[in-house]
Amino acid sequence: MTSHIAVQTEDFDHTSLYQRLLSDTPEIGAIVTFTGLVRDLNLGDAVAGLFLEHYPGMTEKSLQAIVDEARQRWPIMRVELIHRVGQLAPADQIVYVGVSASHRGDAFAACEFIMDYLKTRAPFWKREATPEGDRWVDARDSDHQAATRWK
């Protein structure tokens, strides 16, 4: 039962992350992955870019706590969690969550749980560039509603 968690400025490679999810666990029956991208539109405004900040050390601990909680809820095997920080452009990859499990239902639920909690609990600060100027981005009500279903 391995987890790999990284907060990084560099882009990530799906193929290598998928291969890590497959490695040395022949009982895997399902792998579910999610990749989040930077959108070029938010709240009706064009978005030219997104800058993400984090608090090193605290952010990784928070991500580990989210993965640990997923492990307590579902019998999952490997988790790959990558979150990018720094300057990103529309269509850039921002987050990757990959979960392997014996059964697809557990892999789907754990992946969705991790994403819902990332959106509402992980300490990232997002500032997007719009034609009207830069603005900070908070979690949406829909993100909080999605996370409440796991309580």
Side-chain angles (χ1 to χ4, degrees):
M1 311 313 154
T2 304
S3 299
H4 174 248
I5 295 171
V7 178
Q8 62 190 43
T9 57
E10 302 82 23
D11 200 4
F12 46 83
D13 174 54
H14 286 229
T15 302
S16 62
L17 294 169
Y18 188 83
Q19 288 303 314
R20 281 202 296 231
L21 288 166
L22 276 175
S23 62
D24 71 11
T25 49
E27 63 272 14
I28 289 175
I31 293 177
V32 172
T33 66
F34 172 84
T35 304
L37 306 174
V38 176
R39 288 175 289 171
D40 67 352
L41 186 70
N42 189 28
L43 302 173
D45 295 320
V47 174
L50 183 67
F51 188 82
L52 281 90
E53 298 178 30
H54 78 297
Y55 187 59
M58 182 178 82
T59 302
E60 289 83 350
K61 284 182 182 178
S62 175
L63 300 181
Q64 184 65 58
I66 292 168
V67 170
D68 290 347
E69 189 167 340
R71 288 191 179 286
Q72 291 172 0
R73 292 172 178 241
W74 297 278
I76 57 178
M77 295 173 184
R78 291 184 176 264
V79 175
E80 293 287 332
L81 171 54
I82 311 293
H83 206 298
R84 294 181 66 196
V85 294
Q87 187 64 51
L88 300 172
D92 281 352
Q93 298 179 125
I94 188 170
V95 63
Y96 178 93
V97 176
V99 177
S100 64
S102 293
H103 303 284
R104 65 183 162 87
D106 296 326
F108 272 117
C111 188
E112 198 166 14
F113 169 85
I114 291 168
M115 271 312 304
D116 286 343
Y117 273 36
L118 272 176
K119 296 286 281 184
T120 56
R121 293 186 176 186
F124 290 101
W125 294 272
K126 301 175 185 176
R127 188 179 68 237
E128 60 187 15
T130 72
E132 292 75 36
D134 290 358
R135 66 183 179 200
W136 292 100
V137 180
D138 289 326
R140 298 172 181 212
D141 288 340
S142 59
D143 296 330
H144 289 288
Q145 289 173 353
T148 60
R149 69 184 156 136
W150 303 110
K151 292 184 178 179

